[in-house]
Structures are given as structure tokens and as C-alpha cells.
Amino acid sequence: VNVDVKLGVNKFHVDEGHPHIILADNPDMAEFRKLLKACPAGLYKQDEAGNIHFDSAGCLECGTCRVLCGETILEQWEYPQGTFGIEFRFG
Ligand code: SF4
């Protein structure tokens, strides 16, 4: 079973309007690029024009981006509040 299928069984409760992770206004691009591969959910993206994209929905709350890049790219990294965020399903 590939990773996408495995990730597909997890459920996300998105706290609309209150993202738990917020990118800095001018993230360090060298640092950002590390996360194109390092984020296990593939949430850090760069298109062909060089524009960067990040969406906190689907975050696995693994903390990799915070540990790897911290404030060089992030304005905020928190766990989602209360019942929001990921609900892991195993099997
Ligand atoms: Fe990706 Fe993990 Fe950071 Fe969430 S915490 S955005 S899954 S690297």
C-alpha cells in the first residue's frame, strides 16, 4: 500500500480561518525548499513560476517543518485547537 493511500484513511478537521501553521511573509527560500521534500504530507509546494504554496489542511502535526526551519519560514506553529486537526486511523 503506498503512502497516499495510507494518508487517505486519516481524517482532518479544519479550523477554517484559524490555521495552526502560518508561513512568514518572506520565508527564507533555501529553508522553504527543504520542506518540499521533508514535509511528509507534501503541503509545502513551489510551482513552475517559482511561487510558493502552503496549506495547513492535511498537516500530520509531525513538527518536521518547525524543527527543520523554525522561524526562518514560520510565523506560527501551534497544535490545532481542541477537536481540530488530524485524527489518525490505523489499519
Ligand atoms: Fe508538514 Fe509535518 Fe509541518 Fe505538518 S508539521 S506542515 S505535516 S512538516
Side-chain angles (χ1 to χ4, degrees):
V1 182
N2 72 29
V3 171
D4 286 338
V5 172
K6 286 246 184 205
L7 289 174
V9 302
N10 294 318
K11 247 172 63 177
F12 302 98
H13 306 273
V14 179
D15 191 355
E16 299 287 351
H18 297 96
H20 64 291
I21 299 174
I22 299 174
L23 266 191
D25 281 342
N26 292 301
D28 183 306
M29 284 308 298
E31 293 293 308
F32 185 93
R33 274 193 287 274
K34 290 180 187 172
L35 295 172
L36 299 177
K37 291 207 168 99
C39 172
L43 301 179
Y44 292 86
K45 297 189 176 119
Q46 188 170 23
D47 63 26
E48 288 178 6
N51 300 313
I52 61 174
H53 304 276
F54 172 73
D55 183 357
S56 63
C59 173
L60 301 172
E61 297 165 30
C62 68
T64 300
C65 54
R66 180 169 62 167
V67 171
L68 214 53
C69 302
E71 292 175 355
T72 62
I73 68 152
L74 299 173
E75 180 180 318
Q76 170 185 296
W77 195 108
E78 292 176 347
Y79 284 104
Q81 301 192 10
T83 57
F84 294 110
I86 189 164
E87 180 182 319
F88 286 104
R89 294 177 173 184
F90 299 97

